[in-house]
Amino acid sequence: MCGIVGYVGGYDCKDVLMEGLSKLEYRGYDSAGVALHMGRDITVVKAKGRLAVLKEKLESKNLPVCHCGIGHTRWATHGVPSDVNSHPHSTPRVSIVHNGIIENYGKLKEDLIKKGYEFVSETDTEVLVKLIDSCYTGDPLLALTRALALVRGSYGLAVLFKDFPDIVYAARRESPLIVGFGKGQNFVASDVPALLKYTREYAVLDEGDIAVLTRDKIDFYNEFGTPVEKNHLTADWDMEAAEKGGFPHFMLKEIYEQPEAIQKTVGPRVQNGLPDLRIPQLSDEALAKIGRVHLVACGTAMHAGMVGKTAIEKLARVPAVTEIASEFRYRDPILSPEDLVIIISQSGETSDTKAALELAKQRGCKVLAIVNVVGSSIARAADYVLYTYAGPEIAVASTKAYMVQLSVLYLFAMRLAMAKGKLDEAQARRLTAELLQTGEKINGILENCDQIKFLASKFMNASDLFFMGRGFDYALSLEASLKLKEISYIHSEAYAAGELKHGTISLIEQGTPVIALATQKDIYEKTISNIKETKSRGANTLLFTTQNQPVPDGVADYVVRLPEFEELFMPMLLIVPLQLFAYYVSVLRGCDVDKPRNLAKSVTVE
Ligand code: AGP
């Protein structure tokens, strides 16, 4: 997603903006730019490509020190990546940077053209800046409230007005935006990492909010221009957490942070050896009344939901269904008030997932959010929140966030099962103790990853690769396949092992790589049969299973063995070598592991 920064204060604005944008690179982008208020005029410098290109262009202009400006990294939605489409977009009086989509930009553009405005780019943002300009009569706040009232769609905005040096304006609808409080300086940003070098004190703009920043204060208004107050929050992230800490990539660092992330997330939710959600409104009495659970999310979070579904049905015998948020929001789902909707999101800002949450609430369902970013939109809109404490996840490919989502879903499933009388205290205590052991087991796996590096070298040139498994292992196949695709660009498919023979097996030929996951003992033999079906057609097979499982001759060309462990929690162990496999394949293929092409860390547009 696009990254936004804004600054007003005593430092040279160019340095602060470039530093802030560099901390937002992880969001994914294809061009960047800044608008600098030089006192009498606004200077705009922007370019297609990475920040280094913008930096070089900026330096070549030898601009004087300035103290007020806005910056942007663009992830293209309307219009190809190019210099002219990059932000900021300006008129002689106004400059803006924007994250979001103006859905009615076509009609607005027609009206503006009739007023004499001309357009040079393909973007909706250029329409927005000219709309603001058309509403400007000398009062920036009035111009913003008038213009934004005409807009349908989403925006996170930072704005400069030529007539108002040393003031940055910010506005937000759907696309997240925060402001940072400094001493003699203030900040705007899309996300906390851009602020950490200068301040940890921040506030989150709510829907429709407008902020007016000078060096000494930040005033807040609602969409009608009425003053409002904002809570001040303190970022408990430190610079270290937002840096690589000696690892070659954020993704590898975050894979190795998983044991600590589990401890921070699970530890506070175990009381007297039993799971404790610590949500008073979700008492055992309330849990006992839940008739059905809908787990709704996108991407990796949805894959975590699939593991959660299986755990909920296994333990609590409550019907659970996992839904893709972008499908759920438009298919008029059948919901009843005693259904619980669990919304899962690392960023808490994913547009489709937010929309699914709103739909569930409109239908009278209670919503439990499992979110990693404190104060995010989804966290603030849900009825109940189970925060995961993985810390900032910078790599676009989600790893530790997925891991802690699983851990929280297991805690929920166990507590629900206890409330439903399906799990007694002794059983719950045993399972909870095992859950608390997962971090140590994962450390053991992380200490022995040479085999995974070797296997990555064997499969790095695959063109089509199949994952397959049953039950939990099918859910893991989907996640393993997504990890490999999104960071190595190798095409991969994930299949329910029993389904392959219903058509897709026609694709298996000599040397086709097939990765089978088989950690669940009750269906192990079935998966072995499925591997044999592919082997007999020439597949090159890699099997992930547990230490003591017998592997018949001629079934697997390679075998990776995981330690024997409580089967219920095997997904938390199995995903680790699969994350590492995708990581090493990506590195060997020379891909941009942390910022894969075309992807953004948080998809805040439809
Ligand atoms: C996962 O590796 C991807 N980055 C992506 O699928 C992600 O999980 C999805 O966009 C959902 O994001 P969220 O958890 O922030 O809602």
Side-chain angles (χ1 to χ4, degrees):
M1 275 304 70
C2 304
I4 290 175
V5 290
Y7 176 73
V8 55
Y11 290 132
D12 185 347
C13 182
K14 298 190 286 300
D15 298 338
V16 178
L17 295 179
M18 292 303 288
E19 166 76 23
L21 291 177
S22 73
K23 293 291 182 278
L24 298 177
E25 282 193 285
Y26 72 89
R27 298 166 65 89
Y29 70 103
D30 45 58
S31 57
V34 294
L36 307 169
H37 209 308
M38 312 306 268
R40 296 174 58 82
D41 288 307
I42 296 170
T43 299
V44 172
V45 182
K46 59 184 188 177
K48 178 185 173 185
R50 312 303 281 183
L51 282 180
V53 176
L54 175 63
K55 186 170 189 294
E56 191 176 334
K57 201 167 182 180
L58 254 178
E59 287 170 353
S60 69
K61 293 183 179 296
N62 291 318
L63 295 170
V65 171
C66 54
H67 299 288
C68 177
I70 56 179
H72 189 262
T73 49
R74 178 177 183 247
W75 186 75
T77 51
H78 289 67
V80 297
S82 66
D83 287 2
V84 73
N85 285 337
S86 52
H87 301 201
H89 286 279
S90 306
T91 69
R93 304 187 296 179
V94 190
S95 276
I96 72 169
V97 290
H98 168 227
N99 178 23
I101 288 183
I102 306 303
E103 293 181 355
N104 62 332
Y105 82 102
K107 175 70 172 62
L108 293 171
K109 188 171 184 175
E110 283 172 23
D111 296 345
L112 289 163
I113 289 170
K114 287 174 189 162
K115 290 180 180 174
Y117 284 92
E118 294 178 358
F119 292 85
V120 296
S121 82
E122 306 161 77
T123 68
D124 55 345
T125 304
E126 187 184 6
V127 172
L128 183 53
V129 71
K130 288 172 180 173
L131 178 66
I132 294 168
D133 186 275
S134 69
C135 296
Y136 178 61
T137 53
D139 179 340
L141 182 60
L142 184 60
L144 288 171
T145 52
R146 281 177 175 168
L148 298 176
L150 299 173
V151 160
R152 188 160 41 78
S154 58
Y155 55 78
L157 274 186
V159 189
L160 297 179
F161 287 83
K162 176 175 174 288
D163 302 337
F164 293 81
D166 271 352
I167 301 181
V168 174
Y169 296 81
R172 176 259 168 96
R173 186 196 296 165
E174 293 193 18
S175 294
L177 205 60
I178 61 177
V179 291
F181 301 94
K183 289 186 174 36
Q185 59 184 3
N186 287 307
F187 308 81
V188 183
S190 302
D191 199 353
V192 170
L195 302 177
L196 286 178
K197 180 175 180 181
Y198 306 98
T199 181
R200 288 192 201 175
E201 191 181 351
Y202 69 103
V204 180
L205 294 192
D206 287 305
E207 292 303 299
D209 281 353
I210 296 172
V212 180
L213 291 77
T214 63
R215 291 190 186 207
D216 305 317
K217 65 185 174 93
I218 303 177
D219 293 321
F220 299 95
Y221 303 86
N222 66 16
E223 58 193 302
F224 308 107
T226 306
V228 294
E229 293 297 321
K230 288 283 140 206
N231 294 332
H232 286 212
L233 303 171
T234 302
D236 57 2
W237 298 352
D238 54 31
M239 278 300 289
E240 173 63 23
E243 298 298 337
K244 290 181 190 164
F247 284 88
H249 299 99
F250 279 111
M251 184 178 176
L252 191 60
K253 172 178 177 247
E254 288 154 9
I255 289 171
Y256 275 76
E257 286 177 336
Q258 292 182 120
E260 180 188 0
I262 294 168
Q263 179 49 44
K264 285 182 177 175
T265 300
V266 174
R269 295 180 172 116
V270 174
Q271 299 298 323
N272 184 27
L274 292 171
D276 180 348
L277 303 179
R278 305 183 69 177
I279 301 176
Q281 309 93 318
L282 269 187
S283 63
D284 281 3
E285 186 185 3
L287 289 171
K289 293 173 184 166
I290 292 171
R292 175 181 295 272
V293 178
H294 302 260
L295 300 107
V296 188
C298 298
T300 287
M302 189 273 288
H303 297 154
M306 290 180 70
V307 174
K309 167 227 167 25
T310 304
I312 288 166
E313 291 195 343
K314 265 181 188 291
L315 292 177
R317 306 307 295 159
V318 171
V321 61
T322 306
E323 301 254 14
I324 296 171
S326 55
E327 291 292 305
F328 179 84
R329 66 181 293 193
Y330 290 121
R331 70 172 188 78
D332 191 13
I334 297 170
L335 299 170
S336 48
E338 63 271 9
D339 290 2
L340 176 70
V341 174
I342 298 180
I343 294 285
I344 308 168
S345 175
Q346 187 285 131
S347 64
E349 299 298 348
T350 299
S351 176
D352 286 320
T353 310
K354 283 197 303 190
L357 183 155
E358 294 307 331
L359 175 62
K361 290 178 72 173
Q362 287 161 16
R363 299 291 180 85
C365 297
K366 289 298 183 191
V367 174
L368 167 64
I370 296 176
V371 182
N372 194 46
V373 177
V374 175
S376 55
S377 304
I378 286 172
R380 290 181 295 137
D383 296 294
Y384 324 117
V385 182
L386 278 173
Y387 279 118
T388 56
Y389 300 115
E393 187 175 70
I394 307 298
V396 165
S398 184
T399 51
K400 62 178 182 175
Y402 171 84
M403 181 65 79
V404 291
Q405 286 162 1
L406 295 193
S407 68
V408 164
L409 286 163
Y410 282 126
L411 286 170
F412 174 83
M414 287 192 278
R415 196 73 227 182
L416 179 63
M418 293 173 74
K420 290 281 187 177
K422 300 295 184 186
L423 193 69
D424 64 32
E425 281 208 3
Q427 293 166 320
R429 211 180 293 282
R430 180 186 71 77
L431 287 175
T432 303
E434 293 276 349
L435 183 59
L436 290 168
Q437 290 298 311
T438 50
E440 187 183 324
K441 293 290 184 182
I442 291 168
N443 274 324
I445 294 167
L446 292 170
E447 285 158 14
N448 300 288
C449 51
D450 288 347
Q451 182 189 19
I452 297 299
K453 289 180 186 173
F454 165 74
L455 291 168
S457 69
K458 302 300 277 184
F459 287 87
M460 65 176 280
N461 295 314
S463 53
D464 293 287
L465 193 149
F466 292 83
F467 287 88
M468 67 175 181
R470 291 169 178 259
F472 278 133
D473 294 330
Y474 171 47
L476 270 285
S477 296
L478 286 163
E479 175 55 14
S481 175
L482 175 60
K483 285 280 105 34
L484 184 68
K485 283 183 284 192
E486 66 178 323
I487 63 173
S488 75
Y489 315 147
I490 291 177
H491 173 254
S492 159
E493 289 189 56
Y495 254 82
E499 186 64 7
L500 202 65
K501 56 184 173 297
H502 295 283
T504 302
I505 200 165
S506 67
L507 297 180
I508 305 297
E509 55 193 11
Q510 193 56 42
T512 303
V514 172
I515 299 180
L517 313 180
T519 64
Q520 306 297 304
K521 289 182 174 52
D522 60 335
I523 43 178
Y524 177 76
E525 291 303 333
K526 302 298 179 191
T527 304
I528 292 296
S529 302
N530 298 137
I531 303 175
K532 285 178 181 172
E533 288 157 6
T534 65
K535 195 78 194 123
S536 61
R537 290 163 176 81
N540 180 18
T541 54
L542 162 56
L543 170 63
F544 285 78
T545 187
T546 53
Q547 195 54 47
N548 302 334
Q549 283 295 70
V551 178
D553 290 344
V555 164
D557 296 293
Y558 307 95
V559 179
V560 175
R561 291 187 178 276
L562 294 159
E564 292 297 335
F565 193 58
E566 166 57 50
E567 271 197 6
L568 181 70
F569 303 132
M570 277 312 292
M572 294 177 73
L573 270 56
L574 174 56
I575 192 58
V576 176
L578 294 167
Q579 292 166 341
L580 290 169
F581 178 78
Y583 171 78
Y584 286 116
V585 170
S586 176
V587 169
L588 289 169
R589 289 169 64 94
C591 298
D592 189 344
V593 176
D594 286 334
K595 299 189 289 291
R597 68 187 182 198
N598 306 339
L599 288 179
K601 180 59 183 172
S602 176
V603 185
T604 57
V605 294
E606 279 199 51

